[in-house]
Amino acid sequence: MKRDPERDGHGWERTVREDRRQIPRLLKKNPSLRHKLDEVIAETYEGARSRVIDKSEEMWEQKKLKQPLVEEDLPQSCPWDIHELLKQGLYFTREQLEEQMEPPSCRM
């Protein structure tokens, strides 16, 4: 039975855990990719950042958030290095993210 990740609170953790296992293997098989890691992280972060903003707008429309996020609420570039991103067991909970970021500016 296939699970719906939006309804399964742990689905994203399994996805992250599996991807973290695959990345070192991929880099071992393709060492030339190592010099492109910063570029890949930047591109991936930019896409993820956009999806988070879009999702927050959707949740705001559904009355699940008091206000949606805007671009200024999130760091422009990925605040984590490759070692932090690949660390097993680290899932960047809301509390961890809030420690890394300045609080969002007040918007009206």
Side-chain angles (χ1 to χ4, degrees):
M1 178 166 134
K2 197 170 186 178
R3 293 186 140 174
D4 181 349
E6 293 210 3
R7 295 195 175 115
D8 179 9
H10 297 286
W12 65 274
E13 288 182 19
R14 286 190 294 276
T15 300
V16 169
R17 192 170 39 246
E18 183 56 30
D19 288 348
R20 284 180 176 155
R21 285 188 197 123
Q22 295 296 325
I23 291 170
R25 292 178 193 150
L26 179 66
L27 292 173
K28 188 174 182 177
K29 288 182 180 181
N30 304 281
S32 63
L33 293 177
R34 285 194 181 276
H35 76 278
K36 291 189 174 197
L37 280 177
D38 290 337
E39 180 182 334
V40 170
I41 290 170
E43 289 174 9
T44 304
Y45 179 79
E46 185 178 324
R49 187 172 174 263
S50 293
R51 285 190 301 278
V52 165
I53 291 168
D54 291 346
K55 183 66 175 180
S56 78
E57 289 174 6
E58 179 184 314
M59 292 174 71
W60 175 71
E61 290 169 0
Q62 296 169 353
K63 310 283 191 241
K64 293 180 181 179
L65 290 177
K66 290 184 180 183
Q67 66 183 25
L69 293 172
V70 294
E71 288 190 19
E72 294 78 19
D73 291 335
L74 301 172
Q76 290 291 326
S77 60
C78 184
W80 305 284
D81 66 29
I82 187 64
H83 302 292
E84 291 171 303
L85 293 170
L86 293 178
K87 185 177 178 183
Q88 291 295 327
L90 181 59
Y91 297 103
F92 303 118
T93 64
R94 172 172 277 186
E95 291 81 20
Q96 291 166 324
L97 292 173
E98 287 171 349
E99 287 174 11
Q100 291 272 336
M101 299 186 304
E102 293 180 24
S105 59
C106 290
R107 298 187 309 273
M108 302 218 158

